[in-house]
Amino acid sequence: MRLDYLSIFPAYFDVLDISLVGKAAINGLVEIHAHDLRDWTHDRHRTVDDTPCGGGAGMVMKPDPWGEAFDEIIGTESDPSVHVIFPAPSGTPFTQSAAAELSSAQRIVFCCGRYEGIDHRVIDYARSMWTVHEVSLGDYVLNGGEVAALAITEAVVRLVPGFMGNPESLAEESFSAGQDGLLEYPLFTRPVSWRGLDVPEVLMSGHHGRIASWRRDESVRLTRERRPDLTDSDSSGIH
Ligand SMILES: COC(=O)COc1cccc(COC(=O)c2cn[nH]c2)c1
């Protein structure tokens, strides 16, 4: 999998060389390329933004640098196998299933917006050429798409076959199919008693049926408490 990052702060992605993703990059599973959008400007100030047509506060990212960067980084041929991701507050909520789908992509290009956003024609052009995803990580606003791109990268790359040392652990995570779309149950390890707090007895019983039942009950309780929106979805085992 090749990952490209287009940003006016490409140094954000240096961290990928040391993190979990770095290991994947080293063993050839993932190839990382970060690019400075200003490399595709031609004025002395390397300008990437301008005032919004129609007025309004803030600045909008100009389309020209994006178009020239696309030409050089991705090419001028249409190719639906290339996934182009625009993190944005206005995007579709990013989910574990979206991460799973993207984990089989051969190429993902992250376009990190700043200011008030990117000229919409950039997204329209990208949609005419590649597979575009405008995704939101949540109902809040960041200063730019870089942090969101890092989060999406981690969610996707850890699902790439061969990346995780113990793939079984993926099956029991929150939101994974193995959990029926429920939140993960509470986890414990040794010592059995810690600062007056004990591991639930059932987990020390060695009775696998009771342990499975306790874990399911805890997942249902937590999901009902924290994520009632998940309890009605078809994917969750509770209704
Ligand atoms: C079409 O894409 C764009 O115009 C992107 O423009 C912007 C503008 C400001 C901030 C961001 C970063 O994304 C978020 O804040 C975000 C993502 N998830 N939740 C919050 C992106």
Side-chain angles (χ1 to χ4, degrees):
M1 178 187 281
R2 173 171 167 146
L3 301 176
D4 286 273
Y5 301 83
L6 256 175
S7 163
I8 58 173
F9 296 116
Y12 260 92
F13 303 101
D14 293 352
V15 72
L16 293 178
D17 297 336
I18 59 174
S19 70
L20 269 180
V21 181
K23 285 196 195 112
I26 291 163
N27 65 35
L29 270 177
V30 168
E31 208 183 304
I32 307 252
H33 299 268
H35 311 273
D36 185 345
L37 184 67
R38 294 189 196 277
D39 289 351
W40 288 278
T41 60
H42 308 290
D43 63 303
R44 196 154 58 91
H45 298 293
R46 310 185 82 205
T47 309
V48 292
D49 62 320
D50 200 344
T51 53
C53 295
M59 300 293 274
V60 175
M61 298 190 94
K62 294 160 54 69
D64 320 69
W66 290 97
E68 291 186 31
F70 285 161
D71 292 350
E72 190 172 327
I73 294 168
I74 313 176
T76 52
E77 302 293 314
S78 174
D79 181 351
S81 78
V82 175
H83 292 261
V84 180
I85 296 180
F86 294 89
S90 58
T92 304
F94 186 68
T95 61
Q96 187 67 16
S97 56
E101 280 172 39
L102 284 166
S103 67
S104 57
Q106 280 313 303
R107 182 133 201 228
I108 302 176
V109 180
F110 290 91
C111 300
C112 302
R114 284 260 152 183
Y115 308 103
E116 297 309 309
I118 303 170
D119 184 300
H120 199 77
R121 291 167 294 179
V122 172
I123 294 96
D124 288 340
Y125 173 76
R127 283 195 188 282
S128 74
M129 298 284 281
W130 308 295
T131 301
V132 168
H133 310 264
E134 292 181 71
V135 297
S136 166
L137 292 194
D139 296 336
Y140 46 80
V141 181
L142 302 167
N143 287 328
E146 290 80 7
V147 166
L150 285 168
I152 295 164
T153 299
E154 188 152 316
V156 170
V157 171
R158 63 194 296 278
L159 299 179
V160 170
F163 175 71
M164 286 293 280
N166 169 21
E168 290 83 62
S169 64
L170 292 175
E172 295 197 353
E173 293 178 328
S174 289
F175 309 107
S176 66
Q179 274 292 101
D180 269 349
L182 299 176
L183 299 185
E184 190 165 16
Y185 44 81
L187 299 171
F188 299 86
T189 184
R190 287 181 289 271
V192 171
S193 190
W194 175 73
R195 296 190 177 190
L197 301 167
D198 297 345
V199 170
E201 275 183 40
V202 63
L203 298 181
M204 308 310 291
S205 68
H207 195 295
H208 299 295
R210 284 199 208 124
I211 290 170
S213 173
W214 179 87
R215 286 174 166 172
R216 168 82 185 188
D217 291 350
E218 282 296 291
S219 286
V220 168
R221 177 181 65 78
L222 277 174
T223 307
R224 283 209 170 114
E225 204 174 281
R226 296 179 184 169
R227 292 296 305 274
D229 59 302
L230 292 179
T231 53
D232 301 334
S233 68
D234 296 340
S235 62
S236 83
I238 50 176
H239 300 284

